[in-house]
Amino acid sequence: MRVLVALGGNAMIGPDGSATPQAQLDAIAVASRHLADLIVHGHEVVITHGNGPQVGNLLVKNELAAQVVPPVPLDWCGAQTQGTIGFTLLDTLEAALAARGVDRPVAAIITRTLVAADDPGFTHPTKPIGRFLPREQAQTLIDHGERWEDRGEKGWRRVVASPEPVEVLETRALHTLLDAGYVVITAGGGGIPVVRDADGTVRGVEAVIDKDLTAALLARDVHADVLAIATDVTHAVAGWGTPTAHDIGRVTLEEMEAYAADGHFASGSMGPKVEAALRFVRSGGSRSIITALDQLAPAVEGQVGTIVENPATER
């Protein structure tokens, strides 16, 4: 099977939240071992990943150096983290495969995701990013053209657009690599957000794209059989925090849509993952999986996790 795996940004940092280089390297090495298990089982694997903690670190550097050098734009931050995480995944995944006696080439590609220039998010940015700052520190960044909002006692916080992904521009290159037998790392952080101008040229924009929604789009376009969303829990849960809370196992598309409509999934955590899982199955994918990173291999085999499927389209 062809499996697209979406790794959460927290899979790239230490279990205690540490984002030191060594903590990130150790965490990515753990993720790579689980990915290697999938490959050993004979699956074609495409890997996407989050980059929230890493972009957050770059934003702090922007803030601290803003009076000395101009802040790096957000699309550049996405490109930098794609490069760093991709490089680290290359090293650790190649090592994990070699330890299992598997000879498979691995590639990481810098990936742009097209969004609509007239997406409503650009008119009314609402996605908070980075840390809270006092008004006087935020003003330096506002003077550089960033949008910040007063959040009361906590201070000021930057807000940016979070537009819908329209197209992953490197999909053709991705198909070429997959046809050549590569394991491919792509669309990190949802892809570098870009728009296409009237003359056909492409340029980066200040935005954050939900990486799970990009994963659903990309999984469709590379004809994946399975979209596997790796998170920090084994199952999505209905009724979280209530006496009726229960794990969601294997369900139909319609059943999962009903859970979502009833408000079981928080918008800031499980909500986007469930929406991505639903989008992929609606688009013709066989099944989507939401599960813990260390359960990836058995989940793809249908043994564990939240599995959303549509029998009418299952291949």
mmCIF file of all heavy atoms in Angstrom, residues 37-72:
data_model
loop_
_atom_site.group_PDB
_atom_site.id
_atom_site.type_symbol
_atom_site.label_atom_id
_atom_site.label_comp_id
_atom_site.label_asym_id
_atom_site.label_seq_id
_atom_site.Cartn_x
_atom_site.Cartn_y
_atom_site.Cartn_z
ATOM 1 N N ASP A 37 9.681 0.835 10.261
ATOM 2 C CA ASP A 37 8.870 -0.373 10.440
ATOM 3 C C ASP A 37 7.807 -0.491 9.350
ATOM 4 O O ASP A 37 7.529 -1.585 8.852
ATOM 5 C CB ASP A 37 8.195 -0.367 11.816
ATOM 6 C CG ASP A 37 9.184 -0.594 12.959
ATOM 7 O OD1 ASP A 37 10.280 -1.132 12.691
ATOM 8 O OD2 ASP A 37 8.861 -0.220 14.100
ATOM 9 N N LEU A 38 7.208 0.637 8.981
ATOM 10 C CA LEU A 38 6.221 0.626 7.894
ATOM 11 C C LEU A 38 6.862 0.184 6.581
ATOM 12 O O LEU A 38 6.300 -0.609 5.823
ATOM 13 C CB LEU A 38 5.623 2.017 7.708
ATOM 14 C CG LEU A 38 4.465 2.452 8.591
ATOM 15 C CD1 LEU A 38 4.021 3.858 8.180
ATOM 16 C CD2 LEU A 38 3.301 1.484 8.504
ATOM 17 N N ILE A 39 8.044 0.731 6.316
ATOM 18 C CA ILE A 39 8.733 0.431 5.060
ATOM 19 C C ILE A 39 9.155 -1.042 5.009
ATOM 20 O O ILE A 39 9.043 -1.702 3.974
ATOM 21 C CB ILE A 39 9.927 1.378 4.888
ATOM 22 C CG1 ILE A 39 9.427 2.825 4.786
ATOM 23 C CG2 ILE A 39 10.760 1.008 3.666
ATOM 24 C CD1 ILE A 39 10.501 3.874 5.004
ATOM 25 N N VAL A 40 9.608 -1.554 6.142
ATOM 26 C CA VAL A 40 9.991 -2.969 6.224
ATOM 27 C C VAL A 40 8.807 -3.874 5.893
ATOM 28 O O VAL A 40 8.976 -4.951 5.301
ATOM 29 C CB VAL A 40 10.560 -3.285 7.629
ATOM 30 C CG1 VAL A 40 10.660 -4.787 7.852
ATOM 31 C CG2 VAL A 40 11.923 -2.644 7.804
ATOM 32 N N HIS A 41 7.592 -3.424 6.257
ATOM 33 C CA HIS A 41 6.396 -4.215 5.970
ATOM 34 C C HIS A 41 5.976 -4.115 4.504
ATOM 35 O O HIS A 41 4.940 -4.644 4.116
ATOM 36 C CB HIS A 41 5.236 -3.772 6.867
ATOM 37 C CG HIS A 41 5.306 -4.325 8.255
ATOM 38 N ND1 HIS A 41 6.099 -3.793 9.229
ATOM 39 C CD2 HIS A 41 4.670 -5.399 8.822
ATOM 40 C CE1 HIS A 41 5.957 -4.485 10.359
ATOM 41 N NE2 HIS A 41 5.109 -5.462 10.128
ATOM 42 N N GLY A 42 6.755 -3.424 3.680
ATOM 43 C CA GLY A 42 6.507 -3.398 2.255
ATOM 44 C C GLY A 42 5.675 -2.239 1.751
ATOM 45 O O GLY A 42 5.295 -2.216 0.571
ATOM 46 N N HIS A 43 5.382 -1.257 2.605
ATOM 47 C CA HIS A 43 4.559 -0.134 2.191
ATOM 48 C C HIS A 43 5.401 0.952 1.514
ATOM 49 O O HIS A 43 6.556 1.191 1.895
ATOM 50 C CB HIS A 43 3.839 0.473 3.394
ATOM 51 C CG HIS A 43 2.945 -0.495 4.105
ATOM 52 N ND1 HIS A 43 1.881 -1.106 3.485
ATOM 53 C CD2 HIS A 43 2.961 -0.963 5.380
ATOM 54 C CE1 HIS A 43 1.280 -1.912 4.351
ATOM 55 N NE2 HIS A 43 1.917 -1.838 5.505
ATOM 56 N N GLU A 44 4.826 1.603 0.501
ATOM 57 C CA GLU A 44 5.404 2.825 -0.042
ATOM 58 C C GLU A 44 5.019 3.962 0.897
ATOM 59 O O GLU A 44 3.839 4.111 1.235
ATOM 60 C CB GLU A 44 4.834 3.121 -1.429
ATOM 61 C CG GLU A 44 5.291 2.223 -2.528
ATOM 62 C CD GLU A 44 4.757 2.730 -3.862
ATOM 63 O OE1 GLU A 44 3.534 2.707 -4.060
ATOM 64 O OE2 GLU A 44 5.572 3.190 -4.681
ATOM 65 N N VAL A 45 5.990 4.767 1.301
ATOM 66 C CA VAL A 45 5.728 5.771 2.333
ATOM 67 C C VAL A 45 6.099 7.169 1.855
ATOM 68 O O VAL A 45 7.191 7.392 1.311
ATOM 69 C CB VAL A 45 6.504 5.438 3.630
ATOM 70 C CG1 VAL A 45 6.317 6.536 4.676
ATOM 71 C CG2 VAL A 45 6.043 4.093 4.197
ATOM 72 N N VAL A 46 5.173 8.089 2.052
ATOM 73 C CA VAL A 46 5.390 9.518 1.874
ATOM 74 C C VAL A 46 5.230 10.157 3.252
ATOM 75 O O VAL A 46 4.293 9.822 3.983
ATOM 76 C CB VAL A 46 4.378 10.131 0.888
ATOM 77 C CG1 VAL A 46 4.638 11.619 0.708
ATOM 78 C CG2 VAL A 46 4.417 9.406 -0.447
ATOM 79 N N ILE A 47 6.130 11.062 3.591
ATOM 80 C CA ILE A 47 6.152 11.628 4.950
ATOM 81 C C ILE A 47 5.945 13.128 4.893
ATOM 82 O O ILE A 47 6.638 13.837 4.154
ATOM 83 C CB ILE A 47 7.495 11.328 5.640
ATOM 84 C CG1 ILE A 47 7.765 9.824 5.678
ATOM 85 C CG2 ILE A 47 7.517 11.924 7.055
ATOM 86 C CD1 ILE A 47 9.227 9.475 5.845
ATOM 87 N N THR A 48 4.990 13.634 5.663
ATOM 88 C CA THR A 48 4.877 15.066 5.918
ATOM 89 C C THR A 48 5.061 15.274 7.418
ATOM 90 O O THR A 48 4.971 14.332 8.206
ATOM 91 C CB THR A 48 3.515 15.635 5.476
ATOM 92 O OG1 THR A 48 2.494 15.136 6.345
ATOM 93 C CG2 THR A 48 3.199 15.257 4.045
ATOM 94 N N HIS A 49 5.293 16.505 7.796
ATOM 95 C CA HIS A 49 5.566 16.753 9.222
ATOM 96 C C HIS A 49 5.160 18.161 9.618
ATOM 97 O O HIS A 49 5.082 19.066 8.782
ATOM 98 C CB HIS A 49 7.058 16.550 9.519
ATOM 99 C CG HIS A 49 7.964 17.437 8.726
ATOM 100 N ND1 HIS A 49 8.212 18.759 9.069
ATOM 101 C CD2 HIS A 49 8.678 17.211 7.594
ATOM 102 C CE1 HIS A 49 9.038 19.295 8.186
ATOM 103 N NE2 HIS A 49 9.335 18.376 7.265
ATOM 104 N N GLY A 50 4.897 18.325 10.905
ATOM 105 C CA GLY A 50 4.659 19.652 11.448
ATOM 106 C C GLY A 50 5.963 20.381 11.681
ATOM 107 O O GLY A 50 7.054 19.809 11.575
ATOM 108 N N ASN A 51 5.855 21.669 11.998
ATOM 109 C CA ASN A 51 7.056 22.462 12.285
ATOM 110 C C ASN A 51 6.778 23.578 13.285
ATOM 111 O O ASN A 51 7.551 24.523 13.381
ATOM 112 C CB ASN A 51 7.629 23.055 10.983
ATOM 113 C CG ASN A 51 6.663 24.045 10.329
ATOM 114 O OD1 ASN A 51 5.497 24.170 10.722
ATOM 115 N ND2 ASN A 51 7.140 24.758 9.323
ATOM 116 N N GLY A 52 5.668 23.461 14.021
ATOM 117 C CA GLY A 52 5.286 24.525 14.938
ATOM 118 C C GLY A 52 6.354 24.901 15.946
ATOM 119 O O GLY A 52 6.700 26.093 16.075
ATOM 120 N N PRO A 53 6.913 23.947 16.696
ATOM 121 C CA PRO A 53 7.944 24.312 17.674
ATOM 122 C C PRO A 53 9.176 24.942 17.032
ATOM 123 O O PRO A 53 9.776 25.866 17.591
ATOM 124 C CB PRO A 53 8.289 22.972 18.341
ATOM 125 C CG PRO A 53 7.071 22.124 18.146
ATOM 126 C CD PRO A 53 6.540 22.526 16.796
ATOM 127 N N GLN A 54 9.539 24.443 15.851
ATOM 128 C CA GLN A 54 10.744 24.949 15.190
ATOM 129 C C GLN A 54 10.522 26.376 14.660
ATOM 130 O O GLN A 54 11.391 27.242 14.804
ATOM 131 C CB GLN A 54 11.135 24.012 14.051
ATOM 132 C CG GLN A 54 11.653 22.658 14.494
ATOM 133 C CD GLN A 54 10.560 21.715 14.972
ATOM 134 O OE1 GLN A 54 9.373 21.871 14.650
ATOM 135 N NE2 GLN A 54 10.949 20.718 15.758
ATOM 136 N N VAL A 55 9.358 26.621 14.059
ATOM 137 C CA VAL A 55 9.052 27.981 13.624
ATOM 138 C C VAL A 55 8.951 28.907 14.837
ATOM 139 O O VAL A 55 9.405 30.058 14.800
ATOM 140 C CB VAL A 55 7.755 28.012 12.796
ATOM 141 C CG1 VAL A 55 7.270 29.448 12.584
ATOM 142 C CG2 VAL A 55 7.971 27.342 11.447
ATOM 143 N N GLY A 56 8.387 28.402 15.918
ATOM 144 C CA GLY A 56 8.318 29.203 17.141
ATOM 145 C C GLY A 56 9.685 29.656 17.606
ATOM 146 O O GLY A 56 9.859 30.821 18.026
ATOM 147 N N ASN A 57 10.681 28.779 17.523
ATOM 148 C CA ASN A 57 12.048 29.157 17.893
ATOM 149 C C ASN A 57 12.583 30.266 16.988
ATOM 150 O O ASN A 57 13.230 31.212 17.443
ATOM 151 C CB ASN A 57 12.978 27.941 17.813
ATOM 152 C CG ASN A 57 12.824 27.008 18.996
ATOM 153 O OD1 ASN A 57 12.159 27.336 19.976
ATOM 154 N ND2 ASN A 57 13.420 25.838 18.903
ATOM 155 N N LEU A 58 12.309 30.149 15.681
ATOM 156 C CA LEU A 58 12.780 31.178 14.757
ATOM 157 C C LEU A 58 12.099 32.516 15.023
ATOM 158 O O LEU A 58 12.725 33.583 14.896
ATOM 159 C CB LEU A 58 12.528 30.741 13.312
ATOM 160 C CG LEU A 58 13.369 29.576 12.794
ATOM 161 C CD1 LEU A 58 13.012 29.272 11.348
ATOM 162 C CD2 LEU A 58 14.859 29.865 12.913
ATOM 163 N N LEU A 59 10.833 32.483 15.408
ATOM 164 C CA LEU A 59 10.132 33.727 15.711
ATOM 165 C C LEU A 59 10.731 34.424 16.927
ATOM 166 O O LEU A 59 10.824 35.662 16.975
ATOM 167 C CB LEU A 59 8.639 33.449 15.935
ATOM 168 C CG LEU A 59 7.855 32.968 14.708
ATOM 169 C CD1 LEU A 59 6.408 32.667 15.097
ATOM 170 C CD2 LEU A 59 7.902 33.997 13.591
ATOM 171 N N VAL A 60 11.130 33.634 17.923
ATOM 172 C CA VAL A 60 11.794 34.232 19.088
ATOM 173 C C VAL A 60 13.101 34.897 18.665
ATOM 174 O O VAL A 60 13.431 36.006 19.107
ATOM 175 C CB VAL A 60 12.046 33.169 20.180
ATOM 176 C CG1 VAL A 60 12.886 33.756 21.314
ATOM 177 C CG2 VAL A 60 10.724 32.656 20.734
ATOM 178 N N LYS A 61 13.847 34.242 17.790
ATOM 179 C CA LYS A 61 15.090 34.845 17.291
ATOM 180 C C LYS A 61 14.788 36.138 16.543
ATOM 181 O O LYS A 61 15.524 37.135 16.663
ATOM 182 C CB LYS A 61 15.829 33.857 16.389
ATOM 183 C CG LYS A 61 16.350 32.631 17.138
ATOM 184 C CD LYS A 61 17.004 31.635 16.189
ATOM 185 C CE LYS A 61 17.478 30.403 16.946
ATOM 186 N NZ LYS A 61 18.103 29.391 16.066
ATOM 187 N N ASN A 62 13.707 36.145 15.749
ATOM 188 C CA ASN A 62 13.279 37.371 15.075
ATOM 189 C C ASN A 62 13.047 38.493 16.081
ATOM 190 O O ASN A 62 13.475 39.641 15.891
ATOM 191 C CB ASN A 62 11.973 37.126 14.308
ATOM 192 C CG ASN A 62 12.199 36.580 12.909
ATOM 193 O OD1 ASN A 62 13.315 36.512 12.417
ATOM 194 N ND2 ASN A 62 11.119 36.195 12.260
ATOM 195 N N GLU A 63 12.314 38.148 17.148
ATOM 196 C CA GLU A 63 11.958 39.153 18.149
ATOM 197 C C GLU A 63 13.192 39.720 18.845
ATOM 198 O O GLU A 63 13.323 40.943 19.006
ATOM 199 C CB GLU A 63 11.013 38.531 19.181
ATOM 200 C CG GLU A 63 9.653 38.126 18.615
ATOM 201 C CD GLU A 63 8.940 37.098 19.473
ATOM 202 O OE1 GLU A 63 9.439 36.818 20.593
ATOM 203 O OE2 GLU A 63 7.913 36.555 19.029
ATOM 204 N N LEU A 64 14.097 38.826 19.222
ATOM 205 C CA LEU A 64 15.270 39.272 19.978
ATOM 206 C C LEU A 64 16.223 40.104 19.125
ATOM 207 O O LEU A 64 16.933 40.968 19.638
ATOM 208 C CB LEU A 64 16.005 38.055 20.544
ATOM 209 C CG LEU A 64 15.231 37.243 21.597
ATOM 210 C CD1 LEU A 64 16.033 36.010 22.009
ATOM 211 C CD2 LEU A 64 14.920 38.096 22.827
ATOM 212 N N ALA A 65 16.229 39.848 17.814
ATOM 213 C CA ALA A 65 17.180 40.533 16.938
ATOM 214 C C ALA A 65 16.543 41.648 16.105
ATOM 215 O O ALA A 65 17.220 42.248 15.271
ATOM 216 C CB ALA A 65 17.828 39.517 15.999
ATOM 217 N N ALA A 66 15.270 41.943 16.351
ATOM 218 C CA ALA A 66 14.534 42.851 15.469
ATOM 219 C C ALA A 66 15.128 44.252 15.397
ATOM 220 O O ALA A 66 14.986 44.944 14.384
ATOM 221 C CB ALA A 66 13.075 42.926 15.894
ATOM 222 N N GLN A 67 15.798 44.671 16.452
ATOM 223 C CA GLN A 67 16.387 46.003 16.439
ATOM 224 C C GLN A 67 17.769 46.018 15.785
ATOM 225 O O GLN A 67 18.368 47.076 15.623
ATOM 226 C CB GLN A 67 16.472 46.555 17.868
ATOM 227 C CG GLN A 67 15.093 46.809 18.482
ATOM 228 C CD GLN A 67 15.192 47.417 19.861
ATOM 229 O OE1 GLN A 67 16.233 47.373 20.515
ATOM 230 N NE2 GLN A 67 14.092 48.004 20.335
ATOM 231 N N VAL A 68 18.238 44.821 15.406
ATOM 232 C CA VAL A 68 19.569 44.707 14.798
ATOM 233 C C VAL A 68 19.478 44.311 13.330
ATOM 234 O O VAL A 68 20.141 44.901 12.466
ATOM 235 C CB VAL A 68 20.435 43.690 15.570
ATOM 236 C CG1 VAL A 68 21.833 43.602 14.957
ATOM 237 C CG2 VAL A 68 20.509 44.061 17.050
ATOM 238 N N VAL A 69 18.667 43.290 13.030
ATOM 239 C CA VAL A 69 18.485 42.827 11.646
ATOM 240 C C VAL A 69 16.992 42.676 11.379
ATOM 241 O O VAL A 69 16.214 42.397 12.294
ATOM 242 C CB VAL A 69 19.201 41.481 11.384
ATOM 243 C CG1 VAL A 69 20.699 41.630 11.503
ATOM 244 C CG2 VAL A 69 18.694 40.406 12.344
ATOM 245 N N PRO A 70 16.546 42.841 10.131
ATOM 246 C CA PRO A 70 15.123 42.691 9.817
ATOM 247 C C PRO A 70 14.642 41.280 10.110
ATOM 248 O O PRO A 70 15.364 40.313 9.873
ATOM 249 C CB PRO A 70 15.039 43.000 8.317
ATOM 250 C CG PRO A 70 16.288 43.757 8.009
ATOM 251 C CD PRO A 70 17.341 43.249 8.946
ATOM 252 N N PRO A 71 13.411 41.130 10.634
ATOM 253 C CA PRO A 71 12.869 39.792 10.874
ATOM 254 C C PRO A 71 12.753 38.994 9.577
ATOM 255 O O PRO A 71 12.473 39.542 8.513
ATOM 256 C CB PRO A 71 11.476 40.073 11.460
ATOM 257 C CG PRO A 71 11.527 41.480 11.958
ATOM 258 C CD PRO A 71 12.488 42.201 11.061
ATOM 259 N N VAL A 72 12.989 37.704 9.679
ATOM 260 C CA VAL A 72 12.824 36.802 8.534
ATOM 261 C C VAL A 72 11.331 36.571 8.324
ATOM 262 O O VAL A 72 10.611 36.263 9.272
ATOM 263 C CB VAL A 72 13.541 35.461 8.804
ATOM 264 C CG1 VAL A 72 13.258 34.468 7.687
ATOM 265 C CG2 VAL A 72 15.028 35.686 8.955
#
